Amino acid sequence: MHVTDDTRHRYFPYIDGLRALAVLSVIAYHLDPRLLPGGFTGVDVFFVISGFVVSASMAHFHRPRLLDYLGYFYARRIRRIAPALVACLMITGLASALFIPQAWLSDTSNEVGRWAFVGLSNFVLLRTDGDYFSPKVEFNPYTHTWSLGVEEQFYVLFPLLFFAWAYGRRGRNGSMALFALGLVASLVYVTQVAQSQPALAFYMLTTRFWQLAAGVLLFQMLTRSNAPGALSRIPAWAATAGAVLSLLALGYGLITARAGHSPWPDAVLPVLGTLGLLAFLHRADAGGPLRGVLQSGPVRWVGRLSYSLYLWHWPVFVLLRWTVGLESVSIQAFALVLTFAMAALSYYFIETPFRHAAVFRNARKLAVIGVGVVAIFAFMGVYRKVGRMQPELSLSVIARHAEDWYPMGRETRPVYPDCAAVGHVETVPDADVRIYSKSSCAQPSQVGRLFVIGDSHAAAYAGLMARVAEQSGRDVYLYTRAGCSFINLQPSRDYRLPHCRAFGEAALADVQRRAQAGDVLFLPALRLPRYADQWASFDPAEVRNAVFGDAAVASRQEAEAMASGLLKPLGERGISIVFEAPKPIFRSPPYRCADWFSRGNPACNEGLTMSREDLQALRRPVMDAFAQIAAQVPGVSVWDPFPLLCPEATCRVEEGGRPLYFDGDHISGYANRKLTPAFLAHLSSVRPGSAGQKYQMPDDLAR
């Protein structure tokens, strides 16, 4: 069977207008959510349109062979989707390697981008970054590929469900029944998980199938009912009114949809509005001025560029957010100009040639599929290689001086680099423990062992811990879980979180099982409320209230009592307990302000210095809490890195041009090396104490 690849007779001009509306809504939301609070539901509009259009593109077959049918479908999909996507991913990957430093904000970006080549990035985003509306995803240049993944996964199912459409009335009934069944099942499922698992509801095909299927079923119903004839039974003005009402419903949804409530229930109005527009405008004489606008030259041009606009707007926005920032009106205007320029280049020089060139249109379909798949995996391999070369390619001082910036080496995931001390990982229930040993991981040290429990602030001491093992001969057991402190004296960020409580209990139980008299338990933590996260600064008044407010005082007293109860059995067994005193904290993340292309970023506006006096006052209640715990628990002492990190009246994030901090409260690799002698000295001074052992309060706190 020979099938010509000619889709001109299946082209609906007004659909390009709807595509333009959808993509501009998404762009407006991503540029600044205040411009269009529900603009993210433009993706829901795209899903409905995709279901409708892909059905129209396959409706002309008559009793085809399955292999021919599948070959035609997938050859067209590869030509339509892959070239522009691969080009965008490759260029974005190179730009990311040049300008985006490796950090927690970017630690999943390369993985998301890699799986976007094969339409699976939505699974990676669900597993790693979770909530689409969290600030972190705004720094991943591949986040937007989740929707392409949903569509590509839908295209695996579509031809199998639509195939029967080509086999007469009974086949058409069967195909409609299959899509209707899938639509109902998807709707039922999304209503069940939307509230309890909003990220899953947002990212997965299973919760989005109803939107795509709605577009398919609309096309099938319009075709079965001979739509022009059926629609002509109502006056043209009524069809026009229906289109206008549908547009109002769509517009209302785009304005009012709420983050965390999509695709159910807040995508319902955009979906219904899109279905109404597709149906009523299917009648050629309906729509009036609305049709005129949607089919106007400029609007249709934007619609034709919509795929490339969607591909390019997000990496452009993210790369600007990482470098100069995306807050000012002038930068936002530049972002839009650059987006349209990249989209136009993509459309005219990549999309159009691959879609319409005769050499691709007339080639054997299986050959197109084979070459396309091989090319996708080849470029995926090149992309992965570029990602691995990021430390060498990067223009950032952070990559060029990684040993000064990264406490755990170049890699930012919760594993630690090779070091002079041998390290290995053991798994205990609800916790992993990294063990450092100078010689043998199996033989205990003769000078006692060091146990460390905490979150990323404990992990930030990994370099110091390796040096402790090397220089003192101690075996070091490092228990960490990102986001889960242990005895940080802020219950809402500690044991009140069920998964953190489980981690703390598991780590402490393992320490109790292993530890002997003469061993030391070190408890580093962020015990002050942050002045800044990696993407925003917080109101100083709120920070102070989180320390001195009545609720904060009550919570700290509760935490003191719990800490004493947990630690007293260890102290009574002759195990020394060392608290880390609060370090300086800052209002801007140094790693985002370290380079010539990022120093003017608004994230740096709050400055990289703090008053020593103010910080000492802020941490005084924590130091007092340590004194209360020490009065109840034998063997407690406090190691205070503050004087070394801030020896002057003004605390700074750097010393002699070398970073003391990576972000607003995690120390750097250089600081790890700087603090090692003082920490070793403190370890040498601790002794299994008697109840009520005191620690020396710093002079500036004693005054």
Side-chain angles (χ1 to χ4, degrees):
M1 180 190 71
H2 177 70
V3 179
T4 59
D5 194 359
D6 186 353
T7 59
R8 288 173 293 178
H9 63 286
R10 297 184 294 280
Y11 174 64
F12 307 96
Y14 67 91
I15 287 182
D16 273 337
L18 294 179
R19 286 188 175 120
L21 176 62
V23 77
L24 292 176
S25 299
V26 173
I27 290 173
Y29 174 78
H30 286 157
L31 189 66
D32 187 339
R34 293 172 296 183
L35 296 174
L36 192 62
F40 57 87
T41 55
V43 174
D44 305 81
V45 176
F46 273 124
F47 286 153
V48 178
I49 293 173
S50 293
F52 188 90
V53 172
V54 76
S55 301
S57 73
M58 299 298 290
H60 61 290
F61 278 94
H62 180 66
R63 298 185 179 276
R65 291 186 303 171
L66 180 60
L67 188 61
D68 291 332
Y69 186 84
L70 295 176
Y72 176 85
F73 178 78
Y74 288 118
R76 290 194 72 223
R77 290 297 93 197
I78 285 178
R79 285 169 32 222
R80 175 72 176 95
I81 296 173
L85 173 62
V86 168
C88 181
L89 293 175
M90 292 301 300
I91 294 172
T92 302
L94 179 59
S96 298
L98 292 173
F99 295 106
I100 298 179
Q102 292 184 8
W104 176 74
L105 276 182
S106 58
D107 63 354
T108 60
S109 295
N110 283 342
E111 185 178 5
V112 174
R114 184 168 72 252
W115 287 104
F117 279 87
V118 291
L120 296 174
S121 59
N122 56 328
F123 284 92
V124 182
L125 284 163
L126 177 63
R127 176 175 58 83
T128 57
D129 292 341
D131 185 8
Y132 174 81
F133 300 99
S134 70
K136 183 181 179 183
V137 301
E138 295 183 354
F139 292 85
N140 186 330
Y142 310 103
T143 298
H144 66 315
T145 62
W146 74 270
S147 63
L148 302 180
V150 168
E151 286 206 36
E152 291 170 42
Q153 293 152 30
F154 174 73
Y155 293 148
V156 173
L157 299 175
F158 172 81
L160 302 177
L161 301 179
F162 200 78
F163 181 67
W165 185 261
Y167 284 83
R169 180 183 181 86
R170 184 171 297 178
R172 292 188 172 195
N173 289 338
S175 178
M176 292 179 70
L178 289 173
F179 279 105
L181 182 63
L183 183 151
V184 171
S186 177
L187 266 178
V188 170
Y189 181 61
V190 74
T191 60
Q192 298 300 311
V193 302
Q195 186 172 359
S196 60
Q197 302 180 71
L200 182 147
F202 190 90
Y203 284 124
M204 290 293 102
L205 172 63
T206 49
T207 56
R208 296 283 185 171
F209 185 89
W210 64 278
Q211 300 173 330
L212 291 143
V216 175
L217 284 167
L218 176 64
F219 176 84
Q220 291 177 326
M221 288 187 289
L222 290 174
T223 303
R224 283 294 303 273
S225 63
N226 187 19
L231 290 173
S232 65
R233 297 170 190 168
I234 62 174
W237 68 264
T240 299
V244 171
L245 289 174
S246 298
L247 179 64
L248 292 174
L250 171 57
Y252 184 78
L254 290 171
I255 294 171
T256 61
R258 300 161 295 170
H261 294 78
S262 177
W264 184 269
D266 287 11
V268 172
L269 272 182
V271 168
L272 293 177
T274 305
L275 290 171
L277 285 164
L278 289 170
F280 289 116
L281 294 177
H282 200 71
R283 174 171 167 167
D285 61 349
L290 172 59
R291 179 184 290 274
V293 172
L294 292 177
Q295 296 187 174
S296 65
V299 175
R300 286 172 59 195
W301 180 76
V302 174
R304 288 194 296 271
L305 262 65
S306 60
Y307 176 51
S308 284
L309 282 170
Y310 184 80
L311 280 178
W312 281 105
H313 84 283
W314 184 251
V316 166
F317 290 1
V318 170
L319 284 162
L320 288 173
R321 189 174 285 120
W322 270 107
T323 53
V324 297
L326 194 61
E327 286 78 3
S328 72
V329 174
S330 60
I331 295 297
Q332 290 178 350
F334 173 73
L336 290 175
V337 171
L338 183 57
T339 294
F340 273 85
M342 297 299 295
L345 290 172
S346 173
Y347 177 75
Y348 288 112
F349 295 102
I350 300 175
E351 272 196 75
T352 300
F354 277 94
R355 290 179 66 189
H356 300 300
V359 65
F360 299 116
R361 290 163 62 89
N362 298 329
R364 292 178 63 87
K365 307 309 178 189
L366 293 181
V368 172
I369 296 171
V371 171
V373 170
V374 170
I376 288 170
F377 278 97
F379 279 107
M380 186 178 177
V382 175
Y383 167 90
R384 189 173 188 181
K385 179 67 173 177
V386 169
R388 289 176 173 175
M389 292 175 62
Q390 193 269 352
E392 290 73 38
L393 295 174
S394 179
L395 299 177
S396 174
V397 66
I398 298 167
R400 295 198 301 272
H401 299 284
E403 68 284 353
D404 279 348
W405 281 91
Y406 295 110
M408 296 170 281
R410 295 181 187 272
E411 177 62 63
T412 59
R413 290 167 179 257
V415 296
Y416 307 107
D418 292 334
C419 54
V422 178
H424 73 282
V425 174
E426 293 183 7
T427 299
V428 298
D430 291 312
D432 289 336
V433 53
R434 164 68 69 166
I435 303 174
Y436 294 98
S437 175
K438 182 176 181 180
S439 55
S440 169
C441 298
Q443 298 299 322
S445 168
Q446 298 302 310
V447 296
R449 292 169 295 179
L450 175 64
F451 298 88
V452 186
I453 304 176
D455 59 3
S456 59
H457 290 267
Y461 277 118
L464 186 152
M465 293 302 131
R467 289 177 178 81
V468 167
E470 178 188 13
Q471 296 178 32
S472 74
R474 292 178 183 267
D475 289 346
V476 179
Y477 295 73
L478 180 59
Y479 304 79
T480 63
R481 174 173 289 182
C484 287
S485 288
F486 181 70
I487 309 184
N488 72 349
L489 303 181
Q490 300 174 88
S492 61
R493 295 175 51 233
D494 193 342
Y495 55 83
R496 287 181 184 170
L497 299 174
H499 67 288
C500 291
R501 186 183 188 108
F503 160 72
E505 291 174 349
L508 185 62
D510 198 59
V511 170
Q512 290 172 330
R513 179 178 65 85
R514 298 178 190 260
Q516 300 173 1
D519 291 342
V520 178
L521 173 62
F522 177 46
L523 300 176
L526 178 64
R527 294 188 171 89
L528 299 176
R530 282 189 166 108
Y531 270 114
D533 227 320
Q534 297 193 30
W535 52 80
S537 298
F538 306 134
D539 183 352
E542 294 181 1
V543 174
R544 291 187 60 81
N545 186 63
V547 175
F548 299 106
D550 293 341
V553 172
S555 291
R556 197 160 47 245
Q557 291 173 345
E558 171 193 321
E560 288 173 18
M562 175 165 282
S564 298
L566 290 175
L567 299 177
K568 190 172 183 179
L570 289 174
E572 290 174 343
R573 287 172 50 193
I575 298 163
S576 298
I577 298 157
V578 177
F579 283 104
E580 177 208 31
K583 303 182 296 291
I585 54 178
F586 297 88
R587 298 188 63 188
S588 292
Y591 82 96
R592 291 194 59 197
C593 311
D595 296 301
W596 58 268
F597 50 78
S598 62
R599 290 194 184 103
N601 194 300
C604 310
N605 287 349
E606 299 298 336
L608 300 171
T609 61
M610 294 290 290
S611 163
R612 189 180 202 271
E613 183 179 2
D614 289 348
L615 289 177
Q616 290 284 26
L618 194 69
R619 74 183 193 139
R620 182 185 294 273
V622 176
M623 303 297 282
D624 291 341
F626 288 155
Q628 295 297 321
I629 295 171
Q632 303 297 320
V633 180
V636 168
S637 66
V638 174
W639 174 62
D640 190 3
F642 194 105
L644 285 173
L645 296 173
C646 181
E648 300 175 354
T650 298
C651 300
R652 305 180 186 278
V653 299
E654 54 83 28
E655 177 184 75
R658 306 178 81 174
L660 292 170
Y661 282 80
F662 186 83
D663 59 21
D665 41 64
H666 291 87
I667 63 170
S668 67
Y670 171 70
N672 268 258
R673 298 194 296 275
K674 179 181 177 66
L675 295 174
T676 297
F679 186 75
L680 285 170
H682 187 87
L683 286 183
S684 299
S685 69
V686 299
R687 297 287 184 272
S690 58
Q693 175 180 326
K694 304 294 184 182
Y695 64 90
Q696 184 66 41
M697 182 175 287
D699 292 341
D700 50 3
L701 284 179
R703 288 194 296 268

